[in-house]
Coordinates of all heavy atoms in Angstrom, one line a residue:
Y1 N 8.1 3.6 -6.8 CA 7.2 4.8 -6.5 C 7.8 5.6 -5.4 O 7.8 6.9 -5.4 CB 5.9 4.2 -6.0 CG 4.8 5.2 -5.6 CD1 4.0 5.8 -6.7 CD2 4.8 5.8 -4.5 CE1 3.1 6.7 -6.2 CE2 3.8 6.6 -4.0 CZ 2.9 7.2 -4.9 OH 1.9 8.2 -4.7
F2 N 8.7 4.9 -4.5 CA 9.3 5.5 -3.4 C 10.8 5.9 -3.7 O 11.7 5.9 -2.8 CB 9.3 4.7 -2.2 CG 7.9 4.8 -1.4 CD1 6.8 4.2 -1.9 CD2 7.8 5.5 -0.2 CE1 5.5 4.2 -1.3 CE2 6.7 5.7 0.4 CZ 5.4 5.0 0.0
A3 N 11.0 5.9 -5.0 CA 12.5 6.2 -5.5 C 13.2 7.4 -4.7 O 14.4 7.4 -4.5 CB 12.6 6.4 -6.9
S4 N 12.4 8.4 -4.6 CA 13.0 9.7 -4.0 C 12.6 9.8 -2.5 O 12.8 11.0 -1.9 CB 12.4 10.9 -4.7 OG 12.9 10.9 -6.0
R5 N 12.2 8.7 -1.8 CA 11.9 8.8 -0.4 C 13.0 7.8 0.3 O 13.6 7.0 -0.4 CB 10.6 8.4 0.0 CG 9.5 9.4 -0.7 CD 8.0 8.9 -0.3 NE 7.1 9.9 -0.8 CZ 6.5 10.8 -0.1 NH1 7.0 11.0 1.2 NH2 5.7 11.5 -0.6
D6 N 12.9 7.8 1.7 CA 13.8 6.8 2.2 C 13.2 5.5 2.6 O 11.9 5.2 2.4 CB 14.4 7.4 3.5 CG 13.3 7.8 4.6 OD1 12.2 6.9 4.7 OD2 13.5 8.8 5.3
A7 N 14.1 4.5 3.0 CA 13.6 3.2 3.3 C 12.6 3.0 4.4 O 11.8 2.2 4.3 CB 14.8 2.3 3.6
D8 N 12.6 3.9 5.4 CA 11.7 3.8 6.6 C 10.3 4.3 6.0 O 9.3 3.6 6.4 CB 12.1 4.9 7.6 CG 13.3 4.4 8.4 OD1 13.6 3.2 8.2 OD2 14.0 5.2 9.0
E9 N 10.2 5.2 5.1 CA 8.9 5.5 4.6 C 8.3 4.2 3.7 O 7.1 4.1 3.7 CB 9.0 6.9 3.6 CG 9.2 8.0 4.5 CD 9.2 9.2 3.6 OE1 10.3 9.5 2.8 OE2 8.4 10.2 3.7
L10 N 9.2 3.8 3.0 CA 8.7 2.5 2.1 C 8.3 1.5 3.1 O 7.1 0.9 2.9 CB 9.9 2.1 1.4 CG 9.6 0.7 0.7 CD1 8.4 0.9 -0.4 CD2 10.9 0.2 -0.2
G11 N 9.0 1.2 4.2 CA 8.6 0.2 5.1 C 7.4 0.5 5.8 O 6.3 -0.3 6.0
A12 N 7.1 1.8 6.1 CA 5.8 2.3 6.7 C 4.7 2.1 5.6 O 3.4 1.6 6.1 CB 5.8 3.7 7.0
A13 N 4.8 2.4 4.4 CA 3.7 2.0 3.4 C 3.5 0.5 3.3 O 2.2 0.2 3.2 CB 4.3 2.6 2.0
I14 N 4.4 -0.2 3.4 CA 4.2 -1.7 3.3 C 3.4 -2.1 4.4 O 2.5 -3.0 4.4 CB 5.5 -2.5 3.1 CG1 6.3 -2.2 1.8 CG2 5.3 -4.0 3.3 CD1 7.6 -2.8 1.6
D15 N 3.7 -1.5 5.6 CA 2.9 -1.9 6.8 C 1.3 -1.5 6.5 O 0.5 -2.2 7.0 CB 3.4 -1.2 8.0 CG 4.7 -1.6 8.5 OD1 5.1 -2.9 8.0 OD2 5.5 -1.0 9.2
L16 N 1.1 -0.3 6.0 CA -0.3 0.1 5.7 C -0.9 -1.0 4.7 O -2.1 -1.4 4.9 CB -0.3 1.4 5.1 CG -0.2 2.6 6.0 CD1 0.0 3.9 5.3 CD2 -1.2 2.8 7.0
L17 N -0.2 -1.3 3.7 CA -0.7 -2.2 2.7 C -1.0 -3.7 3.3 O -1.9 -4.3 2.9 CB 0.2 -2.4 1.6 CG 0.5 -1.2 0.6 CD1 1.6 -1.3 -0.3 CD2 -0.8 -0.8 -0.2
A18 N -0.2 -4.0 4.3 CA -0.2 -5.4 5.0 C -1.5 -5.5 5.6 O -2.0 -6.7 5.9 CB 1.0 -5.6 5.7
A19 N -2.3 -4.5 5.8 CA -3.6 -4.6 6.5 C -4.6 -5.4 5.3 O -5.6 -5.8 5.8 CB -4.1 -3.3 6.9
A20 N -4.2 -5.3 4.2 CA -5.0 -5.9 3.2 C -4.0 -6.8 2.3 O -3.6 -6.5 1.1 CB -5.8 -4.9 2.1
P21 N -3.7 -7.9 2.8 CA -2.5 -8.6 2.3 C -2.8 -9.3 0.9 O -1.9 -9.7 0.2 CB -2.1 -9.6 3.4 CG -3.3 -9.9 4.0 CD -4.1 -8.6 4.1
H22 N -4.0 -9.9 0.6 CA -4.4 -10.8 -0.4 C -5.1 -10.2 -1.6 O -6.1 -9.5 -1.4 CB -5.1 -12.0 0.2 CG -4.3 -12.7 1.3 ND1 -3.1 -13.4 1.0 CD2 -4.6 -12.8 2.6 CE1 -2.6 -13.8 2.3 NE2 -3.6 -13.6 3.2
F23 N -4.6 -10.4 -2.7 CA -5.2 -9.7 -3.9 C -6.6 -10.2 -4.3 O -7.4 -9.4 -4.9 CB -4.3 -9.8 -5.2 CG -4.4 -11.2 -5.7 CD1 -5.4 -11.4 -6.7 CD2 -3.5 -12.2 -5.5 CE1 -5.4 -12.8 -7.3 CE2 -3.5 -13.4 -6.2 CZ -4.5 -13.6 -7.0
D24 N -6.9 -11.4 -3.7 CA -8.3 -11.9 -4.1 C -9.4 -11.1 -3.2 O -10.7 -11.4 -3.5 CB -8.4 -13.4 -4.0 CG -7.9 -14.0 -2.7 OD1 -7.5 -13.1 -1.9 OD2 -7.9 -15.2 -2.6
D25 N -9.0 -10.4 -2.3 CA -9.9 -9.6 -1.5 C -10.0 -8.3 -2.1 O -9.4 -7.2 -1.6 CB -9.6 -9.5 0.0 CG -10.6 -9.2 0.9 OD1 -11.8 -9.1 0.5 OD2 -10.4 -9.3 2.1
H26 N -10.6 -8.3 -3.3 CA -10.5 -7.0 -4.1 C -10.8 -5.6 -3.6 O -10.0 -4.6 -3.8 CB -11.4 -7.2 -5.4 CG -11.1 -8.4 -6.3 ND1 -12.0 -9.0 -7.1 CD2 -10.0 -9.0 -6.3 CE1 -11.5 -10.0 -7.7 NE2 -10.2 -10.1 -7.2
E27 N -11.8 -5.4 -2.9 CA -12.2 -4.2 -2.3 C -11.2 -3.6 -1.5 O -10.6 -2.4 -1.7 CB -13.6 -4.3 -1.7 CG -14.3 -2.9 -1.8 CD -15.0 -2.9 -3.1 OE1 -15.3 -3.7 -3.9 OE2 -15.4 -1.6 -3.5
P28 N -10.9 -4.3 -0.3 CA -9.9 -3.7 0.7 C -8.4 -3.6 0.0 O -7.6 -2.7 0.4 CB -9.9 -4.5 1.9 CG -10.6 -5.8 1.3 CD -11.5 -5.4 0.4
F29 N -8.0 -4.6 -0.9 CA -6.7 -4.6 -1.5 C -6.6 -3.2 -2.3 O -5.6 -2.5 -2.2 CB -6.7 -5.8 -2.4 CG -5.4 -6.1 -3.0 CD1 -4.5 -6.8 -2.3 CD2 -4.9 -5.5 -4.2 CE1 -3.1 -7.0 -2.8 CE2 -3.7 -5.7 -4.8 CZ -2.8 -6.4 -4.1
T30 N -7.7 -2.9 -3.1 CA -7.6 -1.6 -4.1 C -7.6 -0.4 -3.1 O -6.9 0.6 -3.2 CB -8.7 -1.8 -4.9 OG1 -8.6 -2.9 -5.9 CG2 -8.6 -0.5 -5.9
A31 N -8.5 -0.5 -2.1 CA -8.6 0.7 -1.2 C -7.4 1.0 -0.4 O -6.9 2.2 -0.4 CB -9.7 0.5 -0.1
A32 N -6.7 -0.1 0.0 CA -5.3 0.1 0.7 C -4.2 0.8 -0.2 O -3.5 1.7 0.2 CB -4.8 -1.2 1.2
A33 N -4.3 0.4 -1.5 CA -3.3 1.0 -2.4 C -3.7 2.5 -2.6 O -2.6 3.3 -2.5 CB -3.3 0.2 -3.8
L34 N -4.8 2.8 -2.8 CA -5.3 4.2 -3.0 C -4.9 5.1 -1.6 O -4.5 6.2 -1.8 CB -6.7 4.3 -3.4 CG -7.0 3.8 -4.7 CD1 -8.5 3.7 -5.0 CD2 -6.4 4.6 -5.8
T35 N -5.1 4.4 -0.5 CA -4.8 5.1 0.8 C -3.3 5.5 0.7 O -2.8 6.5 1.1 CB -5.1 4.3 1.8 OG1 -6.6 4.1 1.8 CG2 -4.7 4.9 3.2
V36 N -2.4 4.4 0.4 CA -1.1 4.9 0.4 C -0.5 5.9 -0.6 O 0.3 6.8 -0.3 CB -0.3 3.5 0.1 CG1 1.2 3.6 -0.3 CG2 -0.2 2.5 1.3
R37 N -1.3 5.8 -1.9 CA -0.9 6.9 -2.8 C -1.4 8.2 -2.2 O -0.8 9.3 -2.4 CB -1.7 6.6 -4.1 CG -1.1 5.5 -4.8 CD -1.8 5.3 -6.3 NE -1.6 6.5 -7.1 CZ -0.7 6.8 -7.9 NH1 0.2 5.7 -8.1 NH2 -0.5 7.8 -8.6
R38 N -2.4 8.3 -1.5 CA -2.9 9.6 -0.9 C -2.0 10.1 0.3 O -1.7 11.3 0.5 CB -4.4 9.5 -0.4 CG -5.4 9.5 -1.5 CD -6.8 9.7 -0.8 NE -7.2 8.6 0.1 CZ -7.8 7.4 -0.2 NH1 -8.1 7.3 -1.5 NH2 -8.1 6.7 0.6

C-alpha cells in the first residue's frame, strides 16, 4: 500500500496500527486500519 511512499511514512503508519495490535480485538483493530487509510 505504501509502495510510492517512503520508509518513514510506513513506519509511522505501523506505529498508528500498533495501538490496536491484536486481531481478536475486532472493533479497534478494524478502526485503526481505516484510520491509517484516511
Side-chain angles (χ1 to χ4, degrees):
Y1 183 89
F2 279 76
S4 297
R5 295 180 182 269
D6 61 36
D8 288 342
E9 289 178 295
L10 174 60
I14 295 174
D15 290 342
L16 284 174
L17 292 170
H22 302 296
F23 77 84
D24 52 2
D25 202 359
H26 296 156
E27 208 81 21
F29 189 91
T30 303
L34 292 171
T35 296
V36 167
R37 289 185 63 90
R38 287 192 299 269

